Amino acid sequence: TAAGRLIIKTEFLPTKYRGYMLPLSQVFWLAGSLLIIGLASVVVPTIGWRWLIRIASIPGIILIMAFKFIPESARFNVSTGNTQAALATLERIAKMNRSVMPEGKLVEPILEKRGRFADLLDAKYLRTTLQIWVIWLGISFAYYGVILASAELLERDLVCGSRSESEVAVTVGVLEESQSPCYCHMFAPSDYRTMIISTIGEIALNPLNILGINFLGRRLSLSITMGCTALFFLLLNICTSSAGLIGFLFMLRALVAANFNTIYIYTAEVYPTAMRALGMGTSGSLCRIGAMVAPFISQVLMSASFLGALCLFASVCVVCAISAFTLPIETKGRALQQIK
């Protein structure tokens, strides 16, 4: 869903506005994240987490009904020879903007075949595709790692000067003896506040991210934010106060959100129309793999070796930073490609 909406926005926006408008859409992602945290702080302590899941499913059901109001990409319709549908979409947009369609005809070469998986591994795009896949996997791994690690840190109360890891281990041992499957304790109101503050971080670097994307370029901007993400993962190991921990989590959430903004834009821009959805789709699949691996590191490995888990997250981010810096194509200021 996220990839689809971004592709549509990318194909409707002019080149000069893509680097500004796409990161700004992160505000709605942030709003959803804050809403679910606020909802959890009210629902979980009162009627339980199952009701939280039920309530959180409602917007998804509404969204299914709203899909029919989303126009199909005019670029896609033109590439398949359906110029009438493309014209109808553009006329609808012109009417909404109180403008008039320019005179002339829509003329674009009709693609004889749609994008195939093999096209992504064609000699022209092979290196780009492989490096994009590495970056997507790593960014997703880091993003969900930060979120789950935040909950783990708060749950285990590992702020310097509070309960130590050894005390947590003792607690776990006691609970294991009592046959309890979980050592978890309920979040306090202060824990929810910490989650809200750190989540707000996802929008904190948006102005700098927009400047970086538009002036430094997609590749350099991404390599810088990925390198900084690695640094802040390592800084989590520093003995600090509760405020310090919140600050580190705040910056980490800001950086991982900036990473996602940039790779979304780059992936949508680097592939031609025939391959764009396929490129985003396969990248999204790698993204899910990173999301699936993250819990094992941020919760299982972190329980055994806190520093080991942080070093692994940081190492993956460094690999992604190098991969971003060496991407063969810079898409800043480049028009969307129609054909290969």
Side-chain angles (χ1 to χ4, degrees), residues 75-135:
R75 289 176 180 270
F76 173 80
N77 281 329
V78 168
S79 69
T80 57
N82 193 357
T83 54
Q84 289 301 316
L87 278 170
T89 299
L90 295 176
E91 286 170 357
R92 176 182 168 189
I93 293 172
K95 185 177 180 181
M96 290 175 64
N97 292 330
R98 297 178 182 178
S99 183
V100 179
M101 284 281 290
E103 295 182 1
K105 295 183 178 180
L106 284 175
V107 179
E108 286 285 353
I110 299 173
L111 302 177
E112 296 181 359
K113 58 183 180 180
R114 308 304 311 150
R116 301 170 300 167
F117 181 79
D119 294 333
L120 296 175
L121 303 179
D122 183 80
K124 183 178 179 180
Y125 290 103
L126 177 61
R127 179 182 162 189
T128 301
T129 296
L130 294 178
Q131 288 185 231
I132 284 176
W133 285 352
V134 168
I135 296 169

Side-chain angles (χ1 to χ4, degrees), residues 154 159 190 193-199 236 240-253:
L154 294 171
V159 176
S190 59
R193 285 196 296 271
T194 300
M195 293 291 286
I196 288 173
I197 293 171
S198 63
T199 300
L236 274 181
T240 183
S241 63
S242 178
L245 175 64
I246 292 173
F248 288 148
L249 292 176
F250 182 91
M251 285 304 301
L252 267 172
R253 293 292 288 268

Side-chain angles (χ1 to χ4, degrees), residues 92-331:
R92 176 182 168 189
I93 293 172
K95 185 177 180 181
M96 290 175 64
N97 292 330
R98 297 178 182 178
S99 183
V100 179
M101 284 281 290
E103 295 182 1
K105 295 183 178 180
L106 284 175
V107 179
E108 286 285 353
I110 299 173
L111 302 177
E112 296 181 359
K113 58 183 180 180
R114 308 304 311 150
R116 301 170 300 167
F117 181 79
D119 294 333
L120 296 175
L121 303 179
D122 183 80
K124 183 178 179 180
Y125 290 103
L126 177 61
R127 179 182 162 189
T128 301
T129 296
L130 294 178
Q131 288 185 231
I132 284 176
W133 285 352
V134 168
I135 296 169
W136 271 92
L137 193 152
I139 288 177
S140 175
F141 178 66
Y143 180 82
Y144 291 101
V146 171
I147 294 174
L148 293 168
S150 301
E152 187 76 3
L153 288 169
L154 294 171
E155 202 170 78
R156 291 172 175 269
D157 198 16
L158 293 182
V159 176
C160 184
S162 60
R163 287 194 301 163
S164 65
E165 287 189 70
S166 60
E167 291 175 61
V168 171
V170 170
T171 304
V172 174
V174 171
L175 289 172
E176 284 176 351
E177 290 176 7
S178 64
Q179 304 300 315
S180 173
C182 183
Y183 62 82
C184 308
H185 66 271
M186 295 286 287
F187 272 17
S190 59
D191 294 328
Y192 285 110
R193 285 196 296 271
T194 300
M195 293 291 286
I196 288 173
I197 293 171
S198 63
T199 300
I200 292 174
E202 292 199 13
I203 202 71
L205 287 184
N206 242 17
L208 288 178
N209 187 214
I210 290 171
L211 289 175
I213 287 172
N214 288 283
F215 293 98
L216 298 179
R218 280 56 161 161
R219 294 180 300 183
L220 181 57
S221 177
L222 182 57
S223 63
I224 290 173
T225 54
M226 286 301 310
C228 291
T229 305
L231 175 62
F232 273 91
F233 264 118
L234 294 177
L235 289 176
L236 274 181
N237 192 54
I238 294 177
C239 185
T240 183
S241 63
S242 178
L245 175 64
I246 292 173
F248 288 148
L249 292 176
F250 182 91
M251 285 304 301
L252 267 172
R253 293 292 288 268
L255 288 164
V256 293
N259 295 334
F260 255 129
N261 282 341
T262 310
I263 194 59
Y264 262 122
I265 294 171
Y266 182 86
T267 306
E269 290 177 334
V270 76
Y271 292 116
T273 300
M275 298 165 54
R276 190 168 296 120
L278 185 63
M280 290 292 293
T282 53
S283 298
S285 299
L286 270 295
C287 176
R288 301 303 166 232
I289 293 175
M292 287 188 288
V293 174
F296 293 97
I297 307 304
S298 60
Q299 295 185 319
V300 179
L301 179 58
M302 191 168 282
S303 299
S305 174
F306 187 67
L307 180 59
L310 295 181
C311 286
L312 180 57
F313 279 119
S315 299
V316 170
C317 290
V318 169
V319 170
C320 291
I322 295 171
S323 184
F325 187 74
T326 57
L327 281 166
I329 302 171
E330 173 58 70
T331 62

